[in-house]
Amino acid sequence: MPREYRYQTLEKWLLKGLQEQRWPPGERLPSVRSLCQQQQVSKATVLHAYQRLEALGLIESRPKAGYFVLKPSTETCEPRTTGTMLPPRPVSLSDVFADIMGRSAAFDILPDLKAGEASPGISALNRCLGRALRSQKGDRSQYYDQPAGDPGLREQLALLYHRRGYQCEADNFCITSGCQNAMFLALMACCQKGDIVAVESPGFYGILQLLEQLELKVIEIPSSPATGMDIDALEAAIQQWSIRACVVTPAYATPSGSLMPDSARHKLLNLAENHDLAIIEDDIYADTGFVRQPDPLKALDQSNRVILCSSFSKSLSRDLRLGWIDGARWHARILRLKLVTQLASSRYLQQGVTEFIRDGGYRSHLKRQRLELRQNRDQLIQLIQQQWPLTLSRNTRISQPNGGLAVWLELDSDKDILTCYQRALEEGIIITPGSLFSVSGQHSHCLRLSFAHHWDNKRTQALKKLGQVLHHFA
Amino acid sequence: MPREYRYQTLEKWLLKGLQEQRWPPGERLPSVRSLCQQQQVSKATVLHAYQRLEALGLIESRPKAGYFVLKPSTETCEPRTTGTMLPPRPVSLSDVFADIMGRSAAFDILPDLKAGEASPGISALNRCLGRALRSQKGDRSQYYDQPAGDPGLREQLALLYHRRGYQCEADNFCITSGCQNAMFLALMACCQKGDIVAVESPGFYGILQLLEQLELKVIEIPSSPATGMDIDALEAAIQQWSIRACVVTPAYATPSGSLMPDSARHKLLNLAENHDLAIIEDDIYADTGFVRQPDPLKALDQSNRVILCSSFSKSLSRDLRLGWIDGARWHARILRLKLVTQLASSRYLQQGVTEFIRDGGYRSHLKRQRLELRQNRDQLIQLIQQQWPLTLSRNTRISQPNGGLAVWLELDSDKDILTCYQRALEEGIIITPGSLFSVSGQHSHCLRLSFAHHWDNKRTQALKKLGQVLHHFA
């Protein structure tokens, strides 16, 4: 038996070539056929090696054109930020979160603009919704949908997950009013008031707020932009405190953009198994992945303790308000909670989305959107580097995520971004300060900047202005 | 000063005439002009008297045709059922509720039929929704709506309530995923696990299930089909136990169909004031009122402690999933809870409904629907009386509500309707047994029967069959 498989040998050879710039950024790689001949390997071996390099974010396939070397983004340093672990505590956060949401400004520094064109994907989605509306038979509007949601949509969700390594059935899912709603149901199902829940630090503010309202205690586990939650730190926390559940975003966590490696995933699941933890997986960013959609953690779940939560809000539309939950061993309780907290979801809406997925509209939309998001990300990083000469220092670090909607910016440690919130607001600019992503005042020198929208002239100017505000007042 | 106003004299004279059948059922009453001349009173006096008789459900106005004597429904006895008061207890109910909801069968004995025509109102609504979908500007789908919901819709809600005596503002409201969702938010905002909540008995099973999931204790207050919750009984309960909140449906409560009189409303609010109770008002059936839409209890709320909950699910469409809540003194907490449990509602959906209301579509729809519902109610009562000769006895009583979607049927006290659930299911018939409307096994000889749908041939046959099932197996 060979020490390594042929695809591994080939992958190493290709990697070396990429590092030596044998094929410069933007250039086409050798065709599959020519590599087969040249390296004396099968087509499957070449495809396997190329797909692995694509998963690493080094190359990309373009339909009918072959594989191309990806341009490295402008030079950046990955942020070092990982939160500090402090004893579990109740959550109490500022009103900045409510203010940001009240201004519809979670992912745009200039929310008053709302000026972009609707993408072709959204137009196609809206046509499907319109069709579903018109084709409702008889007086169906006088019946509640079943509590679990439309079987057709759940079937499509199962198919989408099959492609990501999770072999599930339509009946695994319950349709919710978005991912936040799914996570609310998950926490209600597996926690009691006062329980301790582990989260990433920096971690999603929506979850922190939810924990506050449900009167759960939180322990912040340091999380790095490179590999996500530090599982060793989680283990240390488990030794010390009685932790009931762990909320984690393995794929492109916000704000850090981290992707959790396989080794950490296995370790996390082992820990959960040994200490009877419920794992709540926030999978909402997976479909935004620029070069691949990582498998969900749930795919590795042997003991039915990973609750999978997601929605279409980041990948498609924030106005659909459609999410889903795979409740694992808590499925029956979650179904009951969905039923008593909102009875049902809108049937025609689900049927419209189902058609959109079936027609291939969702797939095309994601393909288009990924390219746009990557471009927006690169532009954002470039703009920051060009326009913020006074704000940036040798200590400044910018994440460079391969998915999600935001970069994480780490400024000098004596900066306090929250103090600039009001100042920026006076310029019509809304920021999401780093301290929102912690319950203990950590990350106050950090900032999440979204690239969900196109960097048109107005947003570019706003970004420049923001650099000045940060320089003068942070 | 006269002992009574002129409209009162006229009203009495008209009432006497109606009792003596001077104008038989179905016949047109004297025109306003002729009454003015004949009785030597002003037009305003005649209109006032007629409107009061209309509010009593004795006559109805038909546009451009005048006032008509309403046919009395077939003779029925109002059910005597009022629940018994037992000490507060945790809630634990059968799976029948989940089964009924899983079959989309809350308001149809033959849910598999779903064969009726969409009403003109629903078609008009769908056109508005389609228009709202198409007219979404730019990339608005990439922004969350503000947590309170669309200001335009909230403005329309305020206007609708102005007509019902409640002077409120758009900012009083928060848009929710239906009325059940609103009541969930209300209970989360004003209760803690273990608190005691007073409800009507018989009372809405959705609320009982919600109390169970939130681990609240319930005390069932006897409630009559004529006047709703017995406020004296509530007072007795308050003397004995520490009650935190009271959930009440002043307008056409399900299942009894009761309308709470003004005197009881004032008494309830006084009690709430004196004992610091939160009142959660379920207003969902008010717009179905056949002859009038009663003012909400909230209109009398002097101390900002009535939380008003409602939705379009009973008056318009169960598939919209749009409700609202006026959170009174708990408004800020409710807004935060809405935000963290589901972030936002769908903006285009709200805008479509707003247009529908603005265009007058909602008003026309209600007008049409009320006539249909009254007709359906009368048919149902007639069918029961004709087709269930063996099931009915001298003890049988049928409610005759002037709003809502169901009648409440009281059979012989030794009958147990729940035992027939499975039997009826085998015939494709879904029933809502009386015991669902209590947490302590009360009302087991009762049954809620809905008239939300047209009594076509198949439903009529199903009803006949149901009579046989009840006779043989209850």
Side-chain angles (χ1 to χ4, degrees), chain A residues 93-95 97-98 101-108 110-111 113-119 122 125-127 129-130 133-134 136-147 177-178 180-182 184 188 192-193 204 206 209-210 212-215 284 311 313-321 333 336-337 339-349 365 369 452-454 459, chain B residues 93-95 97-98 101-108 110-111 113-119 122 125-127 129-130 133-134 136-147 177-178 180-182 184 188 192-193 204 206 209-210 212-215 284 311 313-321 333 336-337 339-349 365 369 452-454 459:
Chain A
L93 277 170
S94 74
D95 290 327
F97 166 60
M101 293 304 295
R103 296 170 191 277
S104 310
F107 290 99
D108 193 357
L110 269 191
L113 206 54
K114 295 191 184 85
E117 285 288 302
S119 76
I122 295 297
L125 168 68
N126 286 354
R127 282 194 297 276
L129 294 177
L133 200 55
R134 289 190 298 277
Q136 289 301 300
K137 294 254 163 47
D139 60 354
R140 288 200 74 118
S141 68
Q142 301 311 306
Y143 297 84
Y144 292 109
D145 189 26
Q146 51 181 280
S177 301
Q180 180 82 11
N181 187 239
F184 154 70
M188 284 282 279
Q192 292 276 343
K193 177 177 159 182
F204 173 46
Q209 296 280 340
L210 186 49
E212 176 182 355
Q213 294 300 323
L214 296 179
E215 297 178 69
I284 198 169
S311 90
S313 291
K314 302 303 191 279
S315 58
L316 182 57
S317 159
R318 318 224 204 299
D319 209 37
L320 270 179
R321 311 312 307 128
R333 170 133 173 77
R336 189 62 69 101
L337 281 167
L339 175 57
V340 303
T341 59
Q342 54 180 304
L343 290 190
S345 310
S346 171
R347 191 190 289 113
Y348 92 82
L349 204 62
H365 165 77
Q369 182 177 260
H453 300 279
H454 178 62
R459 267 194 206 92
Chain B
L93 277 169
S94 74
D95 290 327
F97 166 60
M101 293 304 295
R103 296 170 191 278
S104 311
F107 290 98
D108 193 355
L110 269 191
L113 206 54
K114 296 190 184 84
E117 285 288 303
S119 76
I122 294 297
L125 168 68
N126 287 353
R127 281 194 299 275
L129 295 178
L133 199 56
R134 287 190 299 276
Q136 290 302 300
K137 295 254 163 47
D139 60 354
R140 288 198 74 116
S141 69
Q142 300 311 305
Y143 298 84
Y144 291 109
D145 188 27
Q146 52 180 279
S177 302
Q180 180 82 13
N181 186 240
F184 153 71
M188 284 281 281
Q192 291 277 342
K193 176 178 160 182
F204 173 45
Q209 296 280 339
L210 185 49
E212 176 182 355
Q213 294 300 324
L214 296 180
E215 297 177 67
I284 198 169
S311 90
S313 291
K314 302 302 192 279
S315 58
L316 182 57
S317 158
R318 317 224 205 299
D319 210 37
L320 270 179
R321 311 311 308 126
R333 170 133 173 76
R336 190 62 69 101
L337 281 167
L339 175 58
V340 302
T341 59
Q342 54 181 303
L343 289 189
S345 310
S346 172
R347 190 191 289 114
Y348 92 82
L349 204 62
H365 165 78
Q369 182 177 259
H453 300 278
H454 178 61
R459 267 194 206 92

Side-chain angles (χ1 to χ4, degrees), chain A residues 18-326:
Chain A
L18 287 170
Q19 278 155 0
E20 293 167 352
Q21 300 228 344
R22 191 182 313 159
W23 309 284
E27 193 169 289
R28 191 171 172 277
L29 285 152
S31 72
V32 175
R33 183 182 299 186
S34 70
L35 260 195
C36 289
Q37 291 176 344
Q38 187 190 332
Q39 301 288 323
Q40 290 294 304
V41 291
S42 73
K43 192 177 160 191
T45 300
V46 175
L47 284 175
H48 197 168
Y50 271 167
Q51 279 156 7
R52 288 174 60 91
L53 291 175
E54 190 173 17
L56 287 170
L58 298 171
I59 68 173
E60 74 174 335
S61 77
R62 296 186 195 155
K64 296 179 190 163
Y67 285 86
F68 288 77
V69 183
L70 281 177
K71 286 184 192 156
S73 301
T74 45
E75 276 175 57
T76 56
C77 295
E78 281 288 312
R80 288 155 301 194
T81 358
T82 62
T84 311
M85 197 158 70
L86 299 166
R89 54 178 63 203
V91 185
S92 171
L93 277 170
S94 74
D95 290 327
V96 170
F97 166 60
D99 191 64
I100 290 173
M101 293 304 295
R103 296 170 191 277
S104 310
F107 290 99
D108 193 357
I109 58 170
L110 269 191
D112 285 344
L113 206 54
K114 295 191 184 85
E117 285 288 302
S119 76
I122 295 297
S123 304
L125 168 68
N126 286 354
R127 282 194 297 276
C128 287
L129 294 177
R131 222 162 21 234
L133 200 55
R134 289 190 298 277
S135 69
Q136 289 301 300
K137 294 254 163 47
D139 60 354
R140 288 200 74 118
S141 68
Q142 301 311 306
Y143 297 84
Y144 292 109
D145 189 26
Q146 51 181 280
D150 187 74
L153 178 56
R154 290 186 279 119
E155 185 63 40
Q156 288 303 313
L157 292 176
L159 290 174
L160 287 173
Y161 277 110
H162 286 184
R163 284 187 220 130
R164 294 176 53 209
Y166 174 38
Q167 301 309 313
C168 49
E169 313 279 330
D171 282 347
N172 284 68
F173 297 99
C174 170
I175 302 300
T176 67
S177 301
C179 186
Q180 180 82 11
N181 187 239
M183 292 197 289
F184 154 70
L185 294 170
L187 286 167
M188 284 282 279
C190 65
C191 294
Q192 292 276 343
K193 177 177 159 182
D195 278 353
I196 302 174
V197 178
V199 301
E200 291 144 342
S201 176
F204 173 46
Y205 49 68
I207 269 293
L208 300 179
Q209 296 280 340
L210 186 49
L211 296 173
E212 176 182 355
Q213 294 300 323
L214 296 179
E215 297 178 69
L216 295 164
K217 283 192 188 128
V218 66
I219 174 139
E220 303 183 83
I221 308 295
S223 187
S224 86
T227 55
M229 185 180 272
D230 177 343
I231 306 300
D232 291 331
L234 175 66
E235 186 167 17
I238 290 173
Q239 304 298 348
Q240 204 169 348
W241 296 291
S242 169
I243 296 177
R244 181 73 207 94
C246 173
V247 182
V248 67
T249 312
Y252 316 121
T254 201
S256 74
S258 60
L259 181 63
M260 187 183 269
D262 279 353
S263 55
R265 291 173 185 231
H266 286 290
K267 225 157 132 184
L268 172 59
L269 291 178
N270 276 338
L271 265 185
E273 181 65 19
N274 294 336
H275 300 274
D276 197 22
L277 246 61
I279 304 285
I280 300 173
E281 176 176 21
D282 180 354
D283 191 42
I284 198 169
Y285 289 104
D287 274 357
T288 64
F290 305 158
V291 282
R292 65 178 181 124
Q293 297 153 276
D295 288 354
L297 178 65
K298 178 74 186 163
L300 301 173
D301 178 23
Q302 297 293 318
S303 60
N304 210 20
R305 61 172 69 248
V306 176
I307 304 178
L308 179 66
C309 301
S310 193
S311 90
F312 294 113
S313 291
K314 302 303 191 279
S315 58
L316 182 57
S317 159
R318 318 224 204 299
D319 209 37
L320 270 179
R321 311 312 307 128
L322 275 185
W324 55 91
I325 186 168
D326 175 333

Side-chain angles (χ1 to χ4, degrees), chain B residues 345-363:
Chain B
S345 310
S346 172
R347 190 191 289 114
Y348 92 82
L349 204 62
Q350 295 175 76
Q351 291 176 345
V353 174
T354 305
E355 270 315 296
F356 179 67
I357 302 174
R358 265 200 206 122
D359 283 359
Y362 184 54
R363 205 186 168 96

Side-chain angles (χ1 to χ4, degrees), chain B residues 226-238:
Chain B
T227 56
M229 185 181 273
D230 178 343
I231 305 301
D232 292 331
L234 175 65
E235 185 167 19
I238 289 173

Side-chain angles (χ1 to χ4, degrees), chain B residues 373-397:
Chain B
L373 285 177
R374 194 168 59 197
Q375 202 172 31
N376 290 351
R377 176 201 67 179
D378 291 345
Q379 265 188 301
L380 170 58
I381 294 175
Q382 214 168 23
L383 284 170
I384 291 173
Q385 291 174 327
Q386 287 168 358
Q387 296 190 338
W388 291 14
L390 299 172
T391 317
L392 306 187
S393 76
R394 227 183 304 172
N395 299 318
T396 307
R397 282 155 178 271

Side-chain angles (χ1 to χ4, degrees), chain B residues 78-94:
Chain B
E78 280 288 312
R80 288 155 301 195
T81 357
T82 61
T84 311
M85 197 159 71
L86 298 166
R89 55 178 63 204
V91 186
S92 171
L93 277 169
S94 74

